[in-house]
Amino acid sequence: MSPATHLLAAGVLAGFSRLDHRGRVAVMIAGVIPDIDGLGVVPELFTRHSAHPLLWFSEFHHQLHTLLFAIIVTLVAVAFCGERLKTALFVLASFHLHLLCDLIGARGPDGDSWPIPYFAPFTQAHAWTWSGQWPLNGWQNFAITGLLLVATFWLAVRNGNSVVELFSTRADERFVGTLRGRLRSA
Ligand SMILES: [Zn+2]
């Protein structure tokens, strides 16, 4: 799914976790970080017409969508956060929610289902695929994104924080304040 949908899903999970600010940020990062293996798209686009194109996106995308990377991310999160067991569980859940979302709704325009090599780099066997996977731009993804937005607003009003705190706590305070103000005047 798109990075925005992954971020909203991770933000909603963080909202339900009732972890502190640092824990919630860890849960959100865990929900988007598998896609840093997609950053290879930049050099690939720039070099695609050259004599030696760098196929970093084609070759490495989804190579961090693995159990090993999930464990590394969880260990790093636990080192920086309190409530270690709860943080570990939510970070692991957030990472795997990302994998699940890619599994169900990330079919590429060329029909490629982007199998998830869960046990890489040890083996490329047992990669995750699902024959019912819908396209990246399918209506299902728009519907899920819409539902996640509603959940984001609801949790922001209830908890007093939202996914915006990943970028700035001050911007998040303003966002939550505006939402609550609108609700009160409605
Ligand atoms: Zn992904």
Side-chain angles (χ1 to χ4, degrees), residues 29-111:
I29 291 175
V32 291
I33 205 166
D35 279 346
I36 58 169
D37 61 13
L39 291 179
V41 72
V42 178
E44 181 160 330
L45 279 178
F46 276 111
T47 61
R48 69 187 153 159
H49 298 303
S50 73
H52 303 285
L54 298 168
L55 300 175
W56 290 355
F57 183 73
S58 307
E59 292 192 4
F60 299 120
H61 188 45
H62 275 179
Q63 288 304 312
L64 290 180
H65 289 57
T66 64
L67 177 62
L68 176 65
F69 192 48
I71 292 171
I72 292 171
V73 169
T74 304
L75 290 177
V76 172
V78 164
F80 283 97
C81 299
E83 291 189 273
R84 296 200 156 161
L85 180 62
K86 193 173 167 189
T87 301
L89 289 175
F90 271 94
V91 163
L92 265 181
S94 185
F95 192 101
H96 283 82
L97 181 63
H98 179 116
L99 301 191
L100 186 69
C101 287
D102 279 350
L103 178 70
I104 61 175
R107 187 177 295 277
D110 52 1

Side-chain angles (χ1 to χ4, degrees), residues 1-13 28 31-33 35 97-98 101-102 136 141-142 144-149 152 163-164 166-167:
M1 288 186 186
S2 82
T5 308
H6 284 306
L7 183 57
L8 284 173
V12 167
L13 192 61
M28 289 183 224
V32 291
I33 205 166
D35 279 346
L97 181 63
H98 179 116
C101 287
D102 279 350
L136 200 54
N141 285 358
F142 288 100
I144 289 170
T145 306
L147 287 174
L148 287 171
L149 270 176
T152 299
V163 67
V164 179
L166 178 61
F167 309 101

